[in-house]
Amino acid sequence: MKMDFLEPYLLEDFKQVISDNEDFLILEYGNNNGKNKLNCVYSARDWIQVVVNSIPSIDLKHKNQDVLSLNMVQFIGAIDLLVESVQQIHRVLNNDKNYPLLKDNTTFRKSISDDDYFSHIRAAFGTHPVNLVSKNGIKSKKRYFASWSSSSGNGIFSVHLYSNDPNEKDEELTIDCKELISYCQKRYEHLTGLINIITKQATQFKSEQSKILITKKETPLEQLYILRAENKKRFGDDGYKCEIEELIELYGAPKKFNFPNVIINNYLDQIRPCIDEIFENLQSMCIVDLMIYPSPRYNYKPNLSKHSYYIQKIYEHIIRSDYWHQRDMIPSFIEVLKENDILPDFVTIDLDKRDLRLILNAILYNEGAKIANV
């Protein structure tokens, strides 16, 4: 009997659609009516992966009867885990429990749904075999007790059901693993439908947002405040959040220093197109790499790269909170950069971090560091 019956590519496609649309999913389901429903999707996705990768290792031909019986419990439990995971994802994405196979009974061909009958199989073959309320999947007032499961070969397993009614005869419950596999495959293949749901929802959201025009402002700082709010609405804590925050610090720096304006203004003029690009990309709901980034890349310039350790530590001081464990070392790092004419003499650790970032960025750009993404 072939145990690798769950095609891994389908799971990979599902994981990819989550990754491709994670900004939307976080925004839509990360806090949905006060509940983080996306965590349910993440959990279900991960457990589906466990099942897909592990079911082929379950040995349903083991020679030891006790081991075989427990392996059957594991096999049924794995299927149950996958089915519940698919159902949970469907519930989150559709805000209901009525997934398409809810009333399907084409696999086991019983008077009750396949899901209900599988629950009976699961109970009898190991979930709670010593406390059953049914012998056929339909709830009864009687109690039933199952034997261990045994195999007659070719994937056929059975248990004997004993009743607490002295007048009721024992009954054999048989299941063909081919039916269990078919039941599992049908629910696993519903991932295709879930992929389509995520794609459709994300596409619709992007279409709706792109039709909402972003307000245009004249000054860079005013525009950046608008973009920060729009980025939050459209992409939550992702999108261009970091770039916008950096630009706000640069254009909002108090400039309480005596330094050649030409170097500062030239740098700010050069990164101005970054604001326009973010504007256009947010308007079209398209998050791609920017052509210009506000942080200069300096490692390829020999005169700057040899001081990259100290430059990086200064940036970490700017970005991180004051409790950073290396804060006491910052004055010495600043002195090294001053001694090598990278920072001006007036710079100290007490300088406003926004001004320090602006000065360092402007000087690095003036010394040949790149801001263009080429």
Side-chain angles (χ1 to χ4, degrees), residues 4 26 31 42-43 77 82 99 102 135 147 151 161 218 222 260 262 280 283 293 297 313 325 342 369:
D4 55 343
I26 291 172
N31 187 348
Y42 288 152
S43 175
L82 183 144
Y99 80 117
L102 182 66
K135 66 175 180 179
S147 68
S151 173
L161 298 179
E218 291 296 326
E222 285 181 308
V262 63
E280 295 299 328
Q283 182 62 72
Y293 280 93
R297 297 186 298 283
K313 292 302 178 183
H325 69 283
I342 294 177

Side-chain angles (χ1 to χ4, degrees), residues 110-233:
K110 304 295 181 180
S111 61
I112 58 177
S113 72
D114 284 342
D115 285 345
D116 288 340
Y117 192 72
F118 176 76
S119 295
H120 176 57
I121 295 295
R122 180 190 63 199
F125 277 79
T127 303
H128 46 87
V130 297
N131 186 24
L132 299 171
V133 296
S134 172
K135 66 175 180 179
N136 55 12
I138 300 174
K139 192 173 182 179
S140 168
K141 292 182 179 180
K142 297 180 182 180
R143 288 294 181 268
Y144 295 89
F145 317 99
S147 68
W148 61 19
S149 63
S150 60
S151 173
S152 58
N154 297 320
I156 307 297
F157 283 76
S158 62
V159 295
H160 286 277
L161 298 179
Y162 316 120
S163 174
N164 67 348
D165 181 351
N167 298 315
E168 186 172 358
K169 293 182 178 180
D170 300 344
E171 188 164 326
E172 186 178 28
L173 175 63
T174 301
I175 186 67
D176 187 340
C177 284
K178 291 179 182 178
E179 292 182 339
L180 291 175
I181 289 173
S182 176
Y183 171 79
C184 183
Q185 283 178 321
K186 284 182 181 180
R187 276 115 190 111
Y188 178 62
E189 288 166 2
H190 184 51
L191 286 181
T192 299
L194 299 178
I195 289 171
N196 293 335
I197 290 171
I198 292 174
T199 302
K200 182 178 179 179
Q201 289 182 357
T203 301
Q204 182 177 351
F205 176 78
K206 290 178 181 179
S207 175
E208 291 171 352
Q209 291 297 313
S210 64
K211 295 175 183 177
I212 302 174
L213 298 180
I214 300 175
T215 303
K216 195 78 173 177
K217 293 290 184 180
E218 291 296 326
T219 67
L221 200 54
E222 285 181 308
Q223 187 66 72
L224 286 166
Y225 287 139
I226 295 292
L227 294 179
R228 179 165 64 181
E230 288 296 332
N231 189 85
K232 181 71 175 178
K233 292 177 187 175

Side-chain angles (χ1 to χ4, degrees), residues 17-18 21-30 38 93 198:
V17 81
I18 290 178
N21 297 282
E22 196 154 28
D23 290 345
F24 161 73
L25 292 171
I26 291 172
L27 197 62
E28 182 70 14
Y29 298 106
L38 185 56
L93 298 179
I198 292 174

